[in-house]
Amino acid sequence: MTWLVTGGAGYIGAHVVMELRESGERVVVLDDLSTGDPARLPGDVPLVVGDAGDPALVRATLEGHGVTGVMHLAGSKSAPDSLIEPIRYYRQNVGVVVSVLDAMVAAGVTRLVFSSSAAVYGRPDTPTVTEDAPTRPLSPYGQTKLVAEQLVAAAAQAHGISWIALRYFNAVGAAAPHLGDRGTTNLLPLAFDALRTGVPLVVAGTALPTADGSGVRDYVHVADLADAHRRAAQRLAGRPYGHIYNVGAGRGHSVLEVVRAVADVTGTPVPTRPGPPRPGDAPSVVAAIDRIARDLCWRPRHTLHDCVASAWQARSAPLTAVAS
């Protein structure tokens, strides 16, 4: 098969591209490079620079490269930002999905892996969250992901598309140094910045209803997340299908636990200071992963230490360069 990966030059997307390539799949990437970097991609992977929200461009890419399946990862992903710019989030996370589906139908492409989010659950009622839990998003970001899932399911039924939606929990780590997370909103990059600059990391919420008062999240190694995409691709190569899966480690760690893990890996305590909870964030969200283990034979292979150590290795070269 040949897979189009939208957002394939981004942090998660580039790991998915690498995993697909290593499993023998052909890949083409569509990315506007607003946050992506071509240096993350193998030199022989075709890169189309452009907007996945342009259905004519998407269709031309699908037809020009003989694409047989789409992995749609392009989108915006900050819950707090979405409270400030809800229109942009609906445009990016719902409008672009409309364009991708339009192009797929026009080009006769009938397989889709959709990048969704645990943000659809909002504030769960149980310690671990199954795919059947109520969906009550707390932010426009989570709302857009839920609406997009519903759109994919409706379009799939109408047009014979096989699909899998993967509800990501918190992707961390790196499979190779050049694939590290360079974002400015995720916990590990922020912790590493605090080590480099000495400016304390703001722990958003220190009196939450959790064991140590800080938010609890499910941190999944990005290589494991990429492996879930590969298994989804293999599943869609068979009979018609439509399903939603959580992709997480299946265990939770608090922000302060992660901060301590960073200190253990680097040998340096991370300066922190307390801050208010972020709007649109739940105190604790941890994945139940029994369904994806059963259906796709997927389980995470990496520990929190693996996640932190690989992320630090990816970040250490630029930190050394700054220090010198």
PDB file of all heavy atoms in Angstrom, residues 124-150:
ATOM      1  N   PRO A 124     -13.072  12.490  33.224  1.00  0.00           N
ATOM      2  CA  PRO A 124     -13.658  11.144  33.331  1.00  0.00           C
ATOM      3  C   PRO A 124     -14.222  10.864  34.723  1.00  0.00           C
ATOM      4  O   PRO A 124     -13.793  11.434  35.724  1.00  0.00           O
ATOM      5  CB  PRO A 124     -12.467  10.223  33.027  1.00  0.00           C
ATOM      6  CG  PRO A 124     -11.460  11.084  32.356  1.00  0.00           C
ATOM      7  CD  PRO A 124     -11.641  12.453  32.916  1.00  0.00           C
ATOM      8  N   ASP A 125     -15.172   9.938  34.752  1.00  0.00           N
ATOM      9  CA  ASP A 125     -15.798   9.524  36.012  1.00  0.00           C
ATOM     10  C   ASP A 125     -15.046   8.387  36.687  1.00  0.00           C
ATOM     11  O   ASP A 125     -15.329   8.063  37.840  1.00  0.00           O
ATOM     12  CB  ASP A 125     -17.238   9.069  35.754  1.00  0.00           C
ATOM     13  CG  ASP A 125     -18.110  10.178  35.186  1.00  0.00           C
ATOM     14  OD1 ASP A 125     -17.904  11.347  35.571  1.00  0.00           O
ATOM     15  OD2 ASP A 125     -18.979   9.871  34.355  1.00  0.00           O
ATOM     16  N   THR A 126     -14.116   7.757  35.970  1.00  0.00           N
ATOM     17  CA  THR A 126     -13.413   6.583  36.481  1.00  0.00           C
ATOM     18  C   THR A 126     -11.901   6.784  36.367  1.00  0.00           C
ATOM     19  O   THR A 126     -11.439   7.606  35.555  1.00  0.00           O
ATOM     20  CB  THR A 126     -13.815   5.327  35.691  1.00  0.00           C
ATOM     21  OG1 THR A 126     -13.569   5.561  34.295  1.00  0.00           O
ATOM     22  CG2 THR A 126     -15.288   5.013  35.890  1.00  0.00           C
ATOM     23  N   PRO A 127     -11.103   6.045  37.168  1.00  0.00           N
ATOM     24  CA  PRO A 127      -9.644   6.221  37.134  1.00  0.00           C
ATOM     25  C   PRO A 127      -9.038   5.943  35.764  1.00  0.00           C
ATOM     26  O   PRO A 127      -8.090   6.603  35.356  1.00  0.00           O
ATOM     27  CB  PRO A 127      -9.141   5.222  38.178  1.00  0.00           C
ATOM     28  CG  PRO A 127     -10.299   5.003  39.092  1.00  0.00           C
ATOM     29  CD  PRO A 127     -11.513   5.106  38.228  1.00  0.00           C
ATOM     30  N   THR A 128      -9.552   4.926  35.070  1.00  0.00           N
ATOM     31  CA  THR A 128      -9.099   4.660  33.710  1.00  0.00           C
ATOM     32  C   THR A 128     -10.286   4.796  32.762  1.00  0.00           C
ATOM     33  O   THR A 128     -11.429   4.556  33.148  1.00  0.00           O
ATOM     34  CB  THR A 128      -8.484   3.251  33.581  1.00  0.00           C
ATOM     35  OG1 THR A 128      -9.449   2.278  33.993  1.00  0.00           O
ATOM     36  CG2 THR A 128      -7.229   3.135  34.429  1.00  0.00           C
ATOM     37  N   VAL A 129      -9.999   5.168  31.539  1.00  0.00           N
ATOM     38  CA  VAL A 129     -11.036   5.553  30.597  1.00  0.00           C
ATOM     39  C   VAL A 129     -11.101   4.547  29.460  1.00  0.00           C
ATOM     40  O   VAL A 129     -10.122   4.350  28.734  1.00  0.00           O
ATOM     41  CB  VAL A 129     -10.748   6.950  30.011  1.00  0.00           C
ATOM     42  CG1 VAL A 129     -11.917   7.415  29.156  1.00  0.00           C
ATOM     43  CG2 VAL A 129     -10.469   7.944  31.114  1.00  0.00           C
ATOM     44  N   THR A 130     -12.246   3.906  29.282  1.00  0.00           N
ATOM     45  CA  THR A 130     -12.443   3.042  28.125  1.00  0.00           C
ATOM     46  C   THR A 130     -13.007   3.860  26.966  1.00  0.00           C
ATOM     47  O   THR A 130     -13.488   4.981  27.149  1.00  0.00           O
ATOM     48  CB  THR A 130     -13.423   1.896  28.434  1.00  0.00           C
ATOM     49  OG1 THR A 130     -14.748   2.437  28.533  1.00  0.00           O
ATOM     50  CG2 THR A 130     -13.045   1.180  29.727  1.00  0.00           C
ATOM     51  N   GLU A 131     -12.975   3.266  25.790  1.00  0.00           N
ATOM     52  CA  GLU A 131     -13.504   3.950  24.606  1.00  0.00           C
ATOM     53  C   GLU A 131     -15.015   4.167  24.692  1.00  0.00           C
ATOM     54  O   GLU A 131     -15.565   4.992  23.939  1.00  0.00           O
ATOM     55  CB  GLU A 131     -13.166   3.143  23.348  1.00  0.00           C
ATOM     56  CG  GLU A 131     -11.699   3.109  23.002  1.00  0.00           C
ATOM     57  CD  GLU A 131     -10.918   1.992  23.675  1.00  0.00           C
ATOM     58  OE1 GLU A 131     -11.472   1.363  24.627  1.00  0.00           O
ATOM     59  OE2 GLU A 131      -9.770   1.732  23.272  1.00  0.00           O
ATOM     60  N   ASP A 132     -15.685   3.468  25.594  1.00  0.00           N
ATOM     61  CA  ASP A 132     -17.132   3.620  25.751  1.00  0.00           C
ATOM     62  C   ASP A 132     -17.506   4.661  26.806  1.00  0.00           C
ATOM     63  O   ASP A 132     -18.698   4.881  27.061  1.00  0.00           O
ATOM     64  CB  ASP A 132     -17.755   2.274  26.135  1.00  0.00           C
ATOM     65  CG  ASP A 132     -17.548   1.223  25.058  1.00  0.00           C
ATOM     66  OD1 ASP A 132     -17.627   1.577  23.869  1.00  0.00           O
ATOM     67  OD2 ASP A 132     -17.304   0.059  25.413  1.00  0.00           O
ATOM     68  N   ALA A 133     -16.508   5.292  27.413  1.00  0.00           N
ATOM     69  CA  ALA A 133     -16.791   6.307  28.434  1.00  0.00           C
ATOM     70  C   ALA A 133     -17.512   7.495  27.809  1.00  0.00           C
ATOM     71  O   ALA A 133     -17.385   7.768  26.609  1.00  0.00           O
ATOM     72  CB  ALA A 133     -15.481   6.760  29.081  1.00  0.00           C
ATOM     73  N   PRO A 134     -18.277   8.238  28.602  1.00  0.00           N
ATOM     74  CA  PRO A 134     -18.929   9.439  28.074  1.00  0.00           C
ATOM     75  C   PRO A 134     -17.907  10.423  27.508  1.00  0.00           C
ATOM     76  O   PRO A 134     -16.815  10.578  28.057  1.00  0.00           O
ATOM     77  CB  PRO A 134     -19.630  10.027  29.306  1.00  0.00           C
ATOM     78  CG  PRO A 134     -19.793   8.885  30.242  1.00  0.00           C
ATOM     79  CD  PRO A 134     -18.611   7.995  30.017  1.00  0.00           C
ATOM     80  N   THR A 135     -18.274  11.053  26.419  1.00  0.00           N
ATOM     81  CA  THR A 135     -17.412  12.071  25.809  1.00  0.00           C
ATOM     82  C   THR A 135     -17.977  13.443  26.139  1.00  0.00           C
ATOM     83  O   THR A 135     -19.029  13.835  25.652  1.00  0.00           O
ATOM     84  CB  THR A 135     -17.323  11.875  24.285  1.00  0.00           C
ATOM     85  OG1 THR A 135     -18.641  11.710  23.745  1.00  0.00           O
ATOM     86  CG2 THR A 135     -16.495  10.648  23.952  1.00  0.00           C
ATOM     87  N   ARG A 136     -17.228  14.162  27.006  1.00  0.00           N
ATOM     88  CA  ARG A 136     -17.659  15.484  27.480  1.00  0.00           C
ATOM     89  C   ARG A 136     -16.466  16.425  27.437  1.00  0.00           C
ATOM     90  O   ARG A 136     -15.878  16.758  28.469  1.00  0.00           O
ATOM     91  CB  ARG A 136     -18.212  15.376  28.900  1.00  0.00           C
ATOM     92  CG  ARG A 136     -19.439  14.476  29.024  1.00  0.00           C
ATOM     93  CD  ARG A 136     -19.939  14.411  30.457  1.00  0.00           C
ATOM     94  NE  ARG A 136     -18.981  13.738  31.333  1.00  0.00           N
ATOM     95  CZ  ARG A 136     -19.283  12.710  32.128  1.00  0.00           C
ATOM     96  NH1 ARG A 136     -20.510  12.224  32.133  1.00  0.00           N
ATOM     97  NH2 ARG A 136     -18.365  12.180  32.899  1.00  0.00           N
ATOM     98  N   PRO A 137     -16.047  16.833  26.236  1.00  0.00           N
ATOM     99  CA  PRO A 137     -14.844  17.660  26.107  1.00  0.00           C
ATOM    100  C   PRO A 137     -14.936  18.947  26.920  1.00  0.00           C
ATOM    101  O   PRO A 137     -16.018  19.550  27.029  1.00  0.00           O
ATOM    102  CB  PRO A 137     -14.781  17.968  24.612  1.00  0.00           C
ATOM    103  CG  PRO A 137     -15.615  16.925  23.955  1.00  0.00           C
ATOM    104  CD  PRO A 137     -16.683  16.579  24.930  1.00  0.00           C
ATOM    105  N   LEU A 138     -13.798  19.372  27.466  1.00  0.00           N
ATOM    106  CA  LEU A 138     -13.730  20.586  28.261  1.00  0.00           C
ATOM    107  C   LEU A 138     -13.215  21.783  27.468  1.00  0.00           C
ATOM    108  O   LEU A 138     -13.161  22.888  28.001  1.00  0.00           O
ATOM    109  CB  LEU A 138     -12.800  20.362  29.470  1.00  0.00           C
ATOM    110  CG  LEU A 138     -13.215  19.269  30.449  1.00  0.00           C
ATOM    111  CD1 LEU A 138     -12.145  19.092  31.518  1.00  0.00           C
ATOM    112  CD2 LEU A 138     -14.554  19.601  31.082  1.00  0.00           C
ATOM    113  N   SER A 139     -12.832  21.564  26.221  1.00  0.00           N
ATOM    114  CA  SER A 139     -12.245  22.638  25.418  1.00  0.00           C
ATOM    115  C   SER A 139     -12.699  22.515  23.974  1.00  0.00           C
ATOM    116  O   SER A 139     -13.088  21.419  23.525  1.00  0.00           O
ATOM    117  CB  SER A 139     -10.714  22.560  25.464  1.00  0.00           C
ATOM    118  OG  SER A 139     -10.272  21.374  24.805  1.00  0.00           O
ATOM    119  N   PRO A 140     -12.633  23.608  23.216  1.00  0.00           N
ATOM    120  CA  PRO A 140     -12.904  23.505  21.784  1.00  0.00           C
ATOM    121  C   PRO A 140     -11.988  22.493  21.087  1.00  0.00           C
ATOM    122  O   PRO A 140     -12.415  21.833  20.135  1.00  0.00           O
ATOM    123  CB  PRO A 140     -12.662  24.928  21.276  1.00  0.00           C
ATOM    124  CG  PRO A 140     -13.005  25.786  22.451  1.00  0.00           C
ATOM    125  CD  PRO A 140     -12.505  25.010  23.645  1.00  0.00           C
ATOM    126  N   TYR A 141     -10.749  22.356  21.558  1.00  0.00           N
ATOM    127  CA  TYR A 141      -9.868  21.337  20.976  1.00  0.00           C
ATOM    128  C   TYR A 141     -10.506  19.958  21.067  1.00  0.00           C
ATOM    129  O   TYR A 141     -10.637  19.232  20.074  1.00  0.00           O
ATOM    130  CB  TYR A 141      -8.510  21.341  21.668  1.00  0.00           C
ATOM    131  CG  TYR A 141      -7.668  20.134  21.336  1.00  0.00           C
ATOM    132  CD1 TYR A 141      -7.260  19.887  20.024  1.00  0.00           C
ATOM    133  CD2 TYR A 141      -7.302  19.219  22.328  1.00  0.00           C
ATOM    134  CE1 TYR A 141      -6.509  18.763  19.714  1.00  0.00           C
ATOM    135  CE2 TYR A 141      -6.548  18.106  22.022  1.00  0.00           C
ATOM    136  CZ  TYR A 141      -6.157  17.880  20.709  1.00  0.00           C
ATOM    137  OH  TYR A 141      -5.420  16.763  20.413  1.00  0.00           O
ATOM    138  N   GLY A 142     -10.914  19.563  22.278  1.00  0.00           N
ATOM    139  CA  GLY A 142     -11.550  18.261  22.443  1.00  0.00           C
ATOM    140  C   GLY A 142     -12.842  18.149  21.662  1.00  0.00           C
ATOM    141  O   GLY A 142     -13.152  17.096  21.086  1.00  0.00           O
ATOM    142  N   GLN A 143     -13.596  19.227  21.605  1.00  0.00           N
ATOM    143  CA  GLN A 143     -14.841  19.226  20.850  1.00  0.00           C
ATOM    144  C   GLN A 143     -14.589  18.996  19.364  1.00  0.00           C
ATOM    145  O   GLN A 143     -15.307  18.237  18.705  1.00  0.00           O
ATOM    146  CB  GLN A 143     -15.583  20.545  21.073  1.00  0.00           C
ATOM    147  CG  GLN A 143     -16.125  20.707  22.485  1.00  0.00           C
ATOM    148  CD  GLN A 143     -16.487  22.144  22.809  1.00  0.00           C
ATOM    149  OE1 GLN A 143     -16.311  23.045  21.992  1.00  0.00           O
ATOM    150  NE2 GLN A 143     -16.983  22.369  24.019  1.00  0.00           N
ATOM    151  N   THR A 144     -13.552  19.655  18.834  1.00  0.00           N
ATOM    152  CA  THR A 144     -13.267  19.489  17.406  1.00  0.00           C
ATOM    153  C   THR A 144     -12.849  18.064  17.081  1.00  0.00           C
ATOM    154  O   THR A 144     -13.217  17.526  16.026  1.00  0.00           O
ATOM    155  CB  THR A 144     -12.175  20.462  16.932  1.00  0.00           C
ATOM    156  OG1 THR A 144     -10.951  20.230  17.648  1.00  0.00           O
ATOM    157  CG2 THR A 144     -12.604  21.904  17.095  1.00  0.00           C
ATOM    158  N   LYS A 145     -12.121  17.431  17.972  1.00  0.00           N
ATOM    159  CA  LYS A 145     -11.719  16.049  17.720  1.00  0.00           C
ATOM    160  C   LYS A 145     -12.928  15.114  17.747  1.00  0.00           C
ATOM    161  O   LYS A 145     -13.025  14.179  16.946  1.00  0.00           O
ATOM    162  CB  LYS A 145     -10.663  15.612  18.739  1.00  0.00           C
ATOM    163  CG  LYS A 145      -9.290  16.209  18.503  1.00  0.00           C
ATOM    164  CD  LYS A 145      -8.722  15.767  17.160  1.00  0.00           C
ATOM    165  CE  LYS A 145      -7.297  16.218  16.946  1.00  0.00           C
ATOM    166  NZ  LYS A 145      -6.744  15.781  15.645  1.00  0.00           N
ATOM    167  N   LEU A 146     -13.844  15.368  18.662  1.00  0.00           N
ATOM    168  CA  LEU A 146     -15.046  14.537  18.740  1.00  0.00           C
ATOM    169  C   LEU A 146     -15.925  14.739  17.503  1.00  0.00           C
ATOM    170  O   LEU A 146     -16.412  13.765  16.908  1.00  0.00           O
ATOM    171  CB  LEU A 146     -15.824  14.871  20.004  1.00  0.00           C
ATOM    172  CG  LEU A 146     -17.083  14.047  20.263  1.00  0.00           C
ATOM    173  CD1 LEU A 146     -16.767  12.559  20.338  1.00  0.00           C
ATOM    174  CD2 LEU A 146     -17.763  14.515  21.551  1.00  0.00           C
ATOM    175  N   VAL A 147     -16.118  15.984  17.097  1.00  0.00           N
ATOM    176  CA  VAL A 147     -16.904  16.261  15.893  1.00  0.00           C
ATOM    177  C   VAL A 147     -16.250  15.611  14.672  1.00  0.00           C
ATOM    178  O   VAL A 147     -16.932  15.029  13.812  1.00  0.00           O
ATOM    179  CB  VAL A 147     -17.064  17.778  15.685  1.00  0.00           C
ATOM    180  CG1 VAL A 147     -17.654  18.083  14.313  1.00  0.00           C
ATOM    181  CG2 VAL A 147     -17.940  18.372  16.776  1.00  0.00           C
ATOM    182  N   ALA A 148     -14.932  15.690  14.591  1.00  0.00           N
ATOM    183  CA  ALA A 148     -14.231  15.092  13.451  1.00  0.00           C
ATOM    184  C   ALA A 148     -14.396  13.575  13.436  1.00  0.00           C
ATOM    185  O   ALA A 148     -14.567  12.975  12.368  1.00  0.00           O
ATOM    186  CB  ALA A 148     -12.759  15.477  13.487  1.00  0.00           C
ATOM    187  N   GLU A 149     -14.344  12.935  14.605  1.00  0.00           N
ATOM    188  CA  GLU A 149     -14.606  11.491  14.664  1.00  0.00           C
ATOM    189  C   GLU A 149     -15.996  11.172  14.109  1.00  0.00           C
ATOM    190  O   GLU A 149     -16.166  10.221  13.328  1.00  0.00           O
ATOM    191  CB  GLU A 149     -14.540  10.999  16.107  1.00  0.00           C
ATOM    192  CG  GLU A 149     -13.172  10.844  16.706  1.00  0.00           C
ATOM    193  CD  GLU A 149     -13.225  10.269  18.111  1.00  0.00           C
ATOM    194  OE1 GLU A 149     -14.333   9.924  18.588  1.00  0.00           O
ATOM    195  OE2 GLU A 149     -12.160  10.153  18.737  1.00  0.00           O
ATOM    196  N   GLN A 150     -16.984  11.952  14.533  1.00  0.00           N
ATOM    197  CA  GLN A 150     -18.353  11.719  14.077  1.00  0.00           C
ATOM    198  C   GLN A 150     -18.470  11.929  12.575  1.00  0.00           C
ATOM    199  O   GLN A 150     -19.175  11.176  11.880  1.00  0.00           O
ATOM    200  CB  GLN A 150     -19.300  12.642  14.837  1.00  0.00           C
ATOM    201  CG  GLN A 150     -19.371  12.329  16.329  1.00  0.00           C
ATOM    202  CD  GLN A 150     -20.006  13.436  17.151  1.00  0.00           C
ATOM    203  OE1 GLN A 150     -20.169  14.573  16.672  1.00  0.00           O
ATOM    204  NE2 GLN A 150     -20.359  13.133  18.394  1.00  0.00           N
TER     205      GLN A 150
END
